[in-house]
Amino acid sequence: MHHVKFNYVDGISRSFEIAPGELILDAAIAADVPVLYQCQSGSCSTCAAQLSSGDAPTRAGVSSTLLASEVAAGTRLLCVCEANSDCSFDLAYTSEAGSSVAHNVHAFIDSVEQIASNAVRLTVELADGEWMEFRPGQFMQIEVPGLGVLRSYSPSSVGTDVPKMEFLIRILPEGAMSDFLSKEAAPEQVLKLRGPYGSFFLREEKRRAPHIFVAGGTGLAPILSMIDTLRQSGGRKPPMLLSFGCATPDALFCLEDIALRKQWLPTLETRICVDRDPQEGMHHGNPVSALREGDVKPDTVAYLCGPQVMIDAATKRLIELGADPANIYSEQFTPSN
């Protein structure tokens, strides 16, 4: 048997034993040690951790989403790693955050509202007696009725809105959820949700630092949840910059919602971006190109949500502007048919 220790950002550590050949995530779950995870197959990065000591290779024959350079730098996906010695891992969240457990709920559709040329706002209400707690930025899996397939979406609403929840969903040609929402969804129809999932969420311990939010398309959803959570928190509000964009003006959405938040939050600056045909007041370019000198302070915290190419570009640009890579958090939105 080997000993594995998890070190959380709130200064708490938890240790457990692991048998030879046992996966680290499985051993942590069995020992009731707080840890975030989702797929348990190496196909997402929710359970990513930094190996600080010991030998913990990926199980032979198992693939993961990590790049060779990330593995070389010590990043591990706990769901596909074994311990060949006593090991210690640093986790980028608090022990409290790691204790959240995904569960199933039922929700009734309130409305499906077209908010842009290729996006809708889905509003649901949880069934009586059911509840869902989540951190702003985390996502839920929603089952497409009649098909049994799952699609992942982050609420644009906040925890205090529950039992009401809102989601911003991109409409894709021949998409399973898209076809359902466009052609079949009706008020009072029941949906099955499971969650929360994900290690992309607002870091409460850094809420006083300057914040930068970069959102592409429906990646705006978790960002709105984060901004509203900061608005509802007590005390001084941090400086915030939201850079949000879509390809064309007709694809933009929630502009009135964003304008309203600017009224509520004097510390919030917004930049609305389009790649083509910008209207007055819009930045001509993507949300990354709108970032400029002076935006980043030494302790700035950044949250990025959108296509992977945007996340990569935004990460590079923020580091160039002086951001600490450890303070940059991201969530990739991958369209699914």
Side-chain angles (χ1 to χ4, degrees), residues 115-153:
I115 57 174
S117 58
N118 62 347
V120 301
R121 188 198 321 266
L122 169 66
T123 304
V124 303
E125 183 168 353
L126 300 187
D128 288 345
E130 299 194 6
W131 201 255
M132 177 66 72
E133 293 185 359
F134 62 92
R135 287 173 168 77
Q138 289 188 300
F139 66 90
M140 316 294 159
Q141 291 183 330
I142 304 179
E143 183 176 314
V144 182
L147 297 180
V149 298
L150 301 173
R151 294 294 181 262
S152 299
Y153 304 105

Side-chain angles (χ1 to χ4, degrees), residues 242-259:
L242 167 62
S243 186
F244 164 59
C246 294
T248 57
D250 69 298
L252 290 169
F253 49 87
C254 292
L255 297 187
E256 291 183 0
D257 299 318
I258 293 172

Side-chain angles (χ1 to χ4, degrees), residues 10-286:
D10 53 4
I12 293 175
S13 295
R14 292 286 300 274
S15 298
F16 55 96
E17 290 189 334
I18 183 170
E22 187 177 12
L23 292 170
I24 294 173
L25 178 62
D26 291 345
I29 294 172
D32 290 326
V33 172
V35 61
L36 291 173
Y37 64 93
Q38 184 209 348
C39 71
Q40 296 182 260
S41 64
S43 57
C44 78
S45 59
T46 301
C47 68
Q50 189 72 18
L51 179 66
S52 56
S53 66
D55 181 20
T58 298
R59 175 177 285 181
V62 175
S63 61
S64 81
T65 57
L66 293 181
L67 301 174
S69 57
E70 293 175 313
V71 174
T75 304
R76 298 290 187 273
L77 297 185
L78 300 175
C79 66
V80 293
C81 279
E82 302 171 348
N84 286 346
S85 69
D86 291 349
C87 297
S88 181
F89 292 90
D90 296 330
L91 281 64
Y93 47 84
T94 64
S95 55
E96 180 187 1
S99 64
S100 60
V101 178
H103 62 283
N104 297 312
V105 296
H106 297 82
F108 296 95
I109 294 177
D110 276 352
S111 63
V112 179
E113 174 192 1
Q114 189 88 28
I115 57 174
S117 58
N118 62 347
V120 301
R121 188 198 321 266
L122 169 66
T123 304
V124 303
E125 183 168 353
L126 300 187
D128 288 345
E130 299 194 6
W131 201 255
M132 177 66 72
E133 293 185 359
F134 62 92
R135 287 173 168 77
Q138 289 188 300
F139 66 90
M140 316 294 159
Q141 291 183 330
I142 304 179
E143 183 176 314
V144 182
L147 297 180
V149 298
L150 301 173
R151 294 294 181 262
S152 299
Y153 304 105
S154 295
S156 56
S157 52
V158 296
T160 54
D161 293 329
V162 175
K164 295 273 191 179
M165 298 179 72
E166 290 187 352
F167 301 87
L168 307 178
I169 298 177
R170 182 182 174 189
I171 298 300
L172 299 168
E174 300 183 0
M177 183 63 79
S178 299
D179 284 349
F180 167 73
L181 293 174
S182 301
K183 303 173 184 177
E184 302 177 32
E188 299 302 315
Q189 195 162 1
V190 177
L191 296 176
K192 296 179 181 178
L193 285 68
R194 181 171 177 82
Y197 291 110
S199 56
F200 178 70
F201 52 80
L202 192 69
R203 263 49 183 188
E204 183 68 19
E205 67 274 12
K206 299 180 180 180
R207 65 178 178 173
R208 301 302 183 198
H211 283 60
I212 291 179
F213 303 101
V214 182
T218 50
L220 180 65
I223 300 303
L224 286 179
S225 182
M226 292 179 177
I227 291 173
D228 283 348
T229 299
L230 288 171
R231 177 174 64 87
Q232 292 178 359
S233 64
R236 177 180 57 85
K237 304 299 184 284
M240 290 176 269
L241 168 63
L242 167 62
S243 186
F244 164 59
C246 294
T248 57
D250 69 298
L252 290 169
F253 49 87
C254 292
L255 297 187
E256 291 183 0
D257 299 318
I258 293 172
L260 188 59
R261 282 154 180 80
K262 283 191 66 177
Q263 293 182 25
W264 292 337
L265 286 164
T267 62
L268 174 63
E269 178 187 354
T270 63
R271 296 172 192 165
I272 307 302
C273 313
V274 291
D275 292 327
R276 301 187 299 276
D277 306 320
Q279 298 175 0
E280 184 177 356
M282 294 181 181
H283 172 78
H284 189 187
N286 60 52

